[in-house]
Amino acid sequence: VDVFAQSRDKDVYARATEMEEEERDQKAVLGKIFKRIDSDGGGTLSYAELVQGACQEPEFQHWLRVMDIDARDLEQLFLIVDEKGNGEI
């Protein structure tokens, strides 16, 4: 029983580590996409830039599709991520 519990704990730890790595990788990919769609080069994205990127950037379109984010969801996502409420992320 103890061997089973230890094995399960190792599996849980390994999966958690794997999920953290996946999250880090996805953030890096998203950061690169955001740099490409930052049309004014200001280092932040306005909602208009985000929408334009969603229409014109194939990799961003794929990412949104995989995450099941449509146009209405994109606006909600922007509002959530815009922590300062200044219209930029």
Side-chain angles (χ1 to χ4, degrees):
V1 176
D2 288 339
V3 173
F4 176 75
Q6 288 174 345
S7 178
R8 185 188 66 229
D9 288 347
K10 286 180 184 178
D11 288 345
V12 168
Y13 178 77
R15 181 62 186 137
T17 301
E18 183 180 303
M19 290 174 68
E20 289 171 359
E21 289 174 5
E22 288 175 15
E23 181 181 351
R24 197 170 31 253
D25 292 346
Q26 287 301 314
K27 284 181 179 179
V29 167
L30 198 53
K32 290 176 184 177
I33 292 170
F34 282 2
K35 283 182 182 180
R36 285 197 305 267
I37 64 176
D38 179 13
S39 59
D40 67 2
T44 60
L45 292 177
S46 66
Y47 179 66
E49 288 174 314
L50 193 68
V51 170
Q52 183 177 5
C55 293
Q56 297 178 351
E57 176 62 44
E59 189 175 9
F60 191 37
Q61 292 169 347
H62 174 73
W63 187 86
L64 293 170
R65 198 169 30 258
V66 167
M67 299 300 291
D68 196 27
I69 297 174
D70 63 15
R72 287 173 292 165
D73 297 331
L74 187 61
E75 182 177 9
Q76 290 302 312
L77 176 65
F78 184 85
L79 293 172
I80 291 168
V81 176
D82 181 14
E83 294 174 341
K84 295 179 183 177
N86 63 358
E88 295 181 330
I89 58 172

